[in-house]
């Protein structure tokens, strides 16, 4: 049998730009043969000038692509396309702007005949940078479309300034910590970034990027500073007026509102050894471990020590003393611009932004990681129980698992209450054997998920 045809599901809220993207695919000379399945109730209308021939419900366009409309029966259309297999290399399914993409994705897990001919490649969600914040407030569907995504196209970036764009991207990453975010104007994105990427082939994704399932960090930002003795760390409502050495200082009322909502923030200072040229990356593992401890509440104007997780107040204007010379990495639970962080008299040498902690009140992502081998039977029982009891709330789950006495990785994917997994290529080395799982859904309980994984240890 020839290789299965990769299928991309395209979703996005009304007005996000799906029409623009689909008409680009059907008109531009990109050299790819793509079958576009549009939803009868979607926004996309095939430009009739592009159509050069029609056969039943399936239209051929001038650049070699084909297009058809779903009238309620996706499986029937996909089976019709199978008869024309030699005329296309990939399928793109466009969903209506008000649709949850989950049921479409589930089709490729459930229908055995379809699984033989088609493979789900990725879910791509288009979002409107200008209107997304309002849509997330008003619509659960908009949040779910982001939660399901492997790729998020943050579109219409030319209609907002850099501060709004940074804030919107943080909201997206707070909902879905593993999706790749691509910024676009007029939905202009290289097609090889959204088609044929193998996002549902976790083994392939991990072979390209071992951090594909990176567990979210407990901090959003780190800065490498050169200190010269005595310094003051300022934080709070008015501290931002001094200006953090960062180009995205907050200028909008949304950001100030978030700042005022914060009461305290956890920070950590880690010194770099004298003579070392190491930077932020060398301290990340130590910071993750220390952020796992309980933070010590520190009242201004107290002194902040090295290697001590401190919980500082960010209401009003707060000052904290730092007595240290040399290079130091400051790790912050939240991005500095959110609470006016400023380290007076210190030079910022380097900074790193990590995954966002702007968690949606309903939908978010949780990552788990453990090096201990798992018992296959216990694992199967736990995942089955999880889908039965919380399947409606778990929108996506995916992972690579270390099964006891099994030399190969166990790779799995779940969409809503449907789950599929299989053994893939061998682990490269004993030291690399590590289970990594990501859950994306509503009202997830980290303690519950950690306890469930713990119950599967062999």
């Amino acid at each position: 049998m020839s290789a299965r045809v990769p299928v991309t599901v395209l979703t996005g809220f009304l007005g996000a730009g799906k029409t623009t993207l689909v008409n680009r695919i059907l008109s531009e000379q990109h050299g790819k043969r793509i079958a576009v399945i549009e939803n009868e109730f979607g926004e996309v209308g095939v430009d009739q000038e592009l159509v050069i021939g029609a056969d039943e419900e399936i239209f051929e366009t001038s650049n070699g692509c084909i297009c058809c409309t779903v009238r309620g029966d996706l499986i029937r259309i996909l089976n019709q396309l199978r008869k024309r297999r030699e005329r296309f290399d990939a399928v793109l399914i466009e969903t209506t702007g008000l649709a949850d993409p989950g049921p479409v994705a589930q089709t490729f897990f459930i229908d055995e005949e379809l699984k033989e001919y088609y493979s789900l490649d990725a879910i791509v969600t288009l979002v409107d940078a200008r209107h997304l914040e309002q849509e997330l407030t008003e619509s659960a569907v908009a949040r779910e479309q982001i939660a399901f995504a492997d790729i998020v196209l943050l579109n219409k970036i030319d209609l907002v300034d850099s501060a709004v764009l940074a804030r919107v991207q943080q909201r997206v990453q707070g909902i879905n910590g593993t999706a790749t975010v691509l910024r676009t104007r007029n939905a202009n994105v290289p097609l090889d970034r959204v088609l044929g990427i193998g996002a549902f082939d976790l083994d392939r994704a991990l072979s390209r990027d071992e951090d594909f399932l990176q567990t979210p960090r407990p901090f959003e930002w780190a800065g490498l500073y050169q200190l010269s003795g005595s310094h003051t760390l300022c934080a709070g409502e008015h501290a931002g007026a001094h200006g953090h050495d960062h180009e995205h200082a907050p200028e909008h009322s949304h950001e100030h509102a978030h700042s005022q909502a914060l009461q305290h923030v956890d920070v950590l200072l880690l010194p770099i050894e004298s003579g070392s040229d190491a930077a932020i990356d060398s301290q990340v593992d130590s910071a993750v471990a220390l952020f796992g401890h309980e933070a010590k509440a520190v009242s201004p104007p107290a002194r902040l020590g090295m290697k001590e997780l401190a919980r500082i107040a960010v209401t009003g204007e707060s000052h904290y003393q730092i007595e240290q010379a040399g290079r130091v990495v400051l790790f912050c639970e939240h991005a500095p611009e959110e609470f006016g962080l400023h380290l007076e008299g210190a030079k910022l040498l380097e900074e790193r932004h990590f995954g966002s902690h702007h968690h949606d009140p309903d939908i978010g992502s949780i990552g788990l990681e453990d090096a201990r081998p798992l018992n296959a039977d216990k694992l199967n029982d736990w995942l089955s129980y999880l889908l039965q009891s919380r399947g409606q709330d778990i929108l996506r789950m995916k992972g690579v698992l270390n099964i006891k006495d099994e030399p190969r990785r166990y790779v799995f994917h779940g969409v809503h209450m449907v789950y599929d997994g299989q053994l893939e290529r061998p682990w490269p080395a004993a030291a690399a054997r590590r289970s990594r799982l990501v859950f994306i859904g509503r009202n997830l309980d980290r303690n519950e998920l950690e306890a469930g994984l713990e119950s599967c240890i062999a």
Side-chain angles (χ1 to χ4, degrees):
M1 187 190 75
S2 59
R4 294 187 297 166
V5 178
V7 177
T8 299
V9 177
L10 175 66
T11 187
F13 215 58
L14 298 167
K18 298 198 302 296
T19 301
T20 305
L21 179 58
V22 170
N23 277 325
R24 275 192 56 226
I25 290 171
L26 293 176
S27 63
E28 291 184 2
Q29 299 302 320
H30 43 66
K32 300 178 185 295
R33 301 186 308 162
I34 302 163
V36 176
I37 300 175
E38 60 164 344
N39 192 293
E40 184 179 23
F41 303 105
E43 305 164 73
V44 176
V46 181
D47 185 340
Q48 290 305 306
E49 294 179 4
L50 303 176
V51 176
I52 60 173
D55 180 5
E56 299 176 359
E57 302 165 282
I58 299 173
F59 305 91
E60 183 178 353
T61 61
S62 55
N63 68 345
C65 290
I66 58 179
C67 181
C68 51
T69 300
V70 178
R71 290 183 173 84
D73 191 347
L74 176 63
I75 293 175
R76 182 177 59 81
I77 285 289
L78 288 166
N79 282 327
Q80 276 193 301
L81 284 174
R82 274 177 44 201
K83 302 171 187 175
R84 300 162 176 81
R85 173 65 186 88
E86 74 287 348
R87 289 169 55 185
F88 61 92
D89 305 309
V91 173
L92 178 80
I93 301 174
E94 176 261 340
T95 68
T96 173
L98 298 175
D100 167 353
V104 175
Q106 285 179 308
T107 301
F108 298 92
F109 286 88
I110 296 171
D111 190 286
E112 292 298 328
E113 193 171 0
L114 283 184
K115 284 172 66 174
E116 186 178 348
Y117 290 93
Y118 297 98
S119 63
L120 187 58
D121 187 71
I123 296 175
V124 177
T125 298
L126 263 160
V127 300
D128 179 343
R130 188 174 187 178
H131 296 108
L132 181 64
E133 290 179 299
Q134 179 182 348
E135 290 163 356
L136 291 176
T137 300
E138 297 176 353
S139 171
V141 172
R143 297 193 293 271
E144 290 181 6
Q145 288 176 344
I146 292 171
F148 276 109
D150 300 291
I151 304 288
V152 175
L153 298 182
L154 185 53
N155 196 30
K156 304 186 180 182
I157 61 172
D158 50 318
L159 302 182
V160 297
D161 63 28
S162 60
V164 172
L165 188 59
R167 189 173 69 235
V168 169
Q169 183 160 335
Q170 284 184 324
R171 289 292 303 275
V172 169
Q173 292 172 328
I175 295 170
N176 185 335
T178 63
T180 299
V181 179
L182 303 176
R183 297 180 176 186
T184 61
R185 295 179 178 85
N186 298 318
N188 190 0
V189 61
L191 294 186
D192 58 7
R193 301 295 301 276
V194 294
L195 299 176
I197 61 174
F200 270 79
D201 183 347
L202 282 190
D203 200 50
R204 172 180 161 188
L206 284 164
S207 69
R208 295 196 311 261
D209 179 8
E210 283 295 331
D211 291 332
F212 179 74
L213 289 175
Q214 177 62 59
T215 305
R217 309 293 192 189
F219 37 79
E220 286 190 7
W221 182 88
L224 175 65
Y225 288 92
Q226 181 68 48
L227 305 186
S228 56
S230 181
H231 297 271
T232 300
L233 180 71
C234 304
E237 188 174 351
H238 305 294
H242 299 290
H244 166 62
D245 289 339
H246 192 270
E247 62 182 352
H248 300 309
E251 300 173 358
H252 296 267
S253 58
H254 287 84
E255 200 68 78
H256 286 305
H258 183 76
S259 174
Q260 291 167 8
L262 283 172
Q263 300 295 313
H264 51 73
V265 170
D266 292 351
V267 298
L268 174 68
L269 290 161
L270 293 180
I272 301 287
E273 289 184 16
S274 177
S276 169
D277 61 356
I280 292 172
D281 286 346
S282 68
Q283 302 299 310
V284 167
D285 288 344
S286 296
V288 169
L290 288 168
F291 262 82
H293 299 164
E294 184 159 353
K296 177 183 177 182
V298 180
S299 301
R303 176 182 171 185
L304 298 180
M306 297 291 119
K307 301 182 181 180
E308 296 176 356
L309 185 64
R311 180 158 295 167
I312 63 174
V314 294
T315 52
E317 184 172 358
S318 305
H319 294 158
Y320 298 87
Q321 303 307 310
I322 298 174
E323 302 290 337
Q324 184 77 13
R327 296 196 305 160
V328 168
V329 181
L330 171 63
F331 289 89
C332 296
E333 178 186 6
H334 293 279
E337 55 265 30
E338 295 179 39
F339 55 99
L341 181 89
H342 175 65
L343 189 50
E344 289 186 346
K347 183 178 181 182
L348 179 63
L349 304 175
E350 177 190 348
E351 65 178 336
R352 281 278 307 278
H353 288 269
F354 298 90
S356 173
H357 284 197
H358 285 256
H359 296 302
D360 185 274
D362 300 318
I363 297 177
S365 52
I366 291 176
L368 305 179
E369 193 167 341
D370 201 299
R372 295 173 292 176
L374 306 178
N375 178 284
D377 293 334
K378 292 178 180 179
L379 176 69
N380 187 59
D381 289 345
W382 175 52
L383 291 177
S384 298
Y385 165 78
L386 202 58
L387 290 177
Q388 289 171 12
S389 62
R390 298 293 306 277
Q392 289 298 327
D393 291 330
I394 297 175
L395 305 179
R396 289 284 298 270
M397 66 177 188
K398 48 192 172 182
V400 175
L401 304 177
N402 171 21
I403 305 298
K404 185 179 180 181
D405 299 328
E406 172 54 62
R408 294 167 293 175
R409 312 166 181 229
Y410 183 76
V411 178
F412 78 95
H413 256 296
V415 177
H416 270 324
M417 301 178 74
V418 178
Y419 158 82
D420 189 28
Q422 59 188 1
L423 292 166
E424 295 285 356
R425 61 191 170 98
W427 292 96
R433 293 180 67 113
R434 193 172 195 86
S435 296
R436 288 183 284 173
L437 305 84
V438 175
F439 298 88
I440 303 169
R442 305 183 196 91
N443 306 311
L444 299 179
D445 184 329
R446 173 175 285 278
N447 291 333
E448 176 189 357
L449 294 172
E450 287 179 343
L453 181 60
E454 183 70 29
S455 72
C456 300
I457 302 301

